[in-house]
Amino acid sequence: MIQQESVPSVLETAATGEIADIYSDIRTTLNTSVVNLIWRNLATMPGALPWAWSTVRPLYLGAAAAHAEAARRTLALPDAPAFSTALLSAAGIEPGALTNILKVLDSYHHTNALALVALSALLEHYDPTSGEPVQPWGTAPGAAQTELPALPPMANLSAEVQRLIEELNGFGEDTDAYLIASMYRHLAYWPPYLALVRTMLAPLQADGSLNALTRSARALGRAHGRVLSRQLAAARSPDSLQQALAACRLFVEHPIARMTGICAIIRRATPPHPGDA
């Protein structure tokens, strides 16, 4: 257990036994080198991580990919200016750095939408809602294996970068933004890039576009979750069921929904390859 996260969590480096095995399976299943905070938080609750992961894992291996792709493609993003390679270069973001930034963005763009629909399915299984039916996307591209840099603790960052991350973390959040989105911490290796992101997003925060985007992502996640929930066969509930469901709801409705949209805006604004304008 550590105290350097915004919620209690079990670090990947501190995980042992069954928790470590599940972390390894999450990384393999998602083709990523990191385990997102929702899973690290569930690992602190007795029986919650094995229950949650065993329940939604079949979705991750099957239907969730097409529903996540539908969420990515149908979520209406507000207009925002793009970053040119000249702008990034002037800010000190050279091709090698841009390549690594793109790895971070692509990883979160992939995993956020998957978590949005899969964990919404888990919530729908226990607390069903009603709404208009949605369809999965025809094809869903797989994610390439991604090796991300170590996630820096907030305490290791400069005071200026911490304040910048905290400001960004409030964008698109309609309640208390105490859950720090891991993507911003990963991007803290390149403070000038974070500063450009803040400049791009600030007008969208001021006019309410980002809060509206978060609400749309929540609704879209629940709509796809309703469809996916029909395929769930929940494992035996742990004693921590209500605590675990509350954690899933908190993450889905706030950082996951928020960052599904915001990451998509940032990814769209960033040149897809270091040589592109």
Side-chain angles (χ1 to χ4, degrees):
M1 188 90 59
I2 62 169
Q3 301 300 322
Q4 56 187 322
E5 303 270 23
S6 45
V7 292
S9 70
V10 175
L11 279 177
E12 294 179 66
T13 54
T16 59
E18 183 181 30
I19 298 301
D21 291 341
I22 294 173
Y23 280 5
S24 177
D25 190 42
I26 290 172
R27 289 190 292 265
T28 299
T29 302
L30 297 182
N31 276 335
T32 186
S33 62
V34 299
V35 175
N36 285 347
L37 182 56
I38 174 59
W39 307 115
R40 304 199 309 270
N41 178 233
L42 288 171
T44 67
M45 306 169 196
L49 180 64
W51 160 77
W53 180 243
S54 65
T55 300
V56 300
R57 185 178 187 271
L59 297 182
Y60 274 94
L61 293 172
H67 283 273
E69 185 65 10
R72 294 186 198 100
R73 289 179 178 266
T74 58
L75 185 61
L77 304 179
D79 292 333
F83 304 140
S84 67
T85 51
L87 173 67
L88 294 174
S89 180
I93 306 298
E94 298 302 334
L98 179 55
T99 295
N100 289 322
I101 287 169
L102 289 169
K103 288 180 181 179
V104 171
L105 295 176
D106 286 345
S107 179
Y108 282 97
H109 188 53
H110 176 70
T111 58
N112 280 337
L114 278 169
L116 180 70
V117 300
L119 292 176
S120 289
L122 187 64
L123 295 174
E124 283 288 327
H125 182 82
Y126 289 92
D127 182 22
T129 62
S130 59
E132 294 296 321
V134 292
Q135 297 296 323
W137 202 256
T139 58
Q145 178 65 37
T146 303
E147 188 73 27
L148 299 184
L151 186 65
M154 285 286 282
N156 290 1
L157 304 175
S158 70
E160 294 79 9
V161 173
Q162 287 188 47
R163 286 195 294 270
L164 179 57
I165 289 174
E166 288 165 357
E167 181 183 12
L168 282 166
N169 198 61
F171 286 6
E173 182 54 72
D174 53 10
T175 58
D176 188 352
Y178 72 91
L179 286 168
I180 301 293
S182 296
M183 189 189 81
Y184 293 134
R185 287 168 57 193
H186 259 128
L187 292 175
Y189 285 100
W190 307 279
Y193 182 78
L194 273 181
L196 290 175
V197 167
R198 185 267 174 205
T199 300
M200 176 186 67
L201 294 178
L204 301 179
Q205 173 64 16
D207 69 12
S209 296
L210 295 185
N211 281 25
L213 183 63
T214 298
R215 292 191 294 270
S216 295
R218 286 175 189 154
L220 199 56
R222 287 305 281 242
H224 286 281
R226 278 192 292 272
V227 178
L228 288 169
S229 67
R230 302 167 194 157
Q231 302 180 31
L232 284 184
R236 181 183 177 87
S237 299
D239 291 341
S240 61
L241 176 64
Q242 293 307 315
Q243 183 186 8
L245 287 174
C248 289
R249 186 173 296 108
L250 177 66
F251 274 88
V252 167
E253 294 183 354
H254 296 282
I256 293 174
R258 169 162 48 91
M259 298 309 294
T260 294
I262 288 177
C263 179
I265 295 172
I266 299 170
R267 182 62 187 85
R268 185 183 64 182
T270 304
H273 301 289
D276 291 352

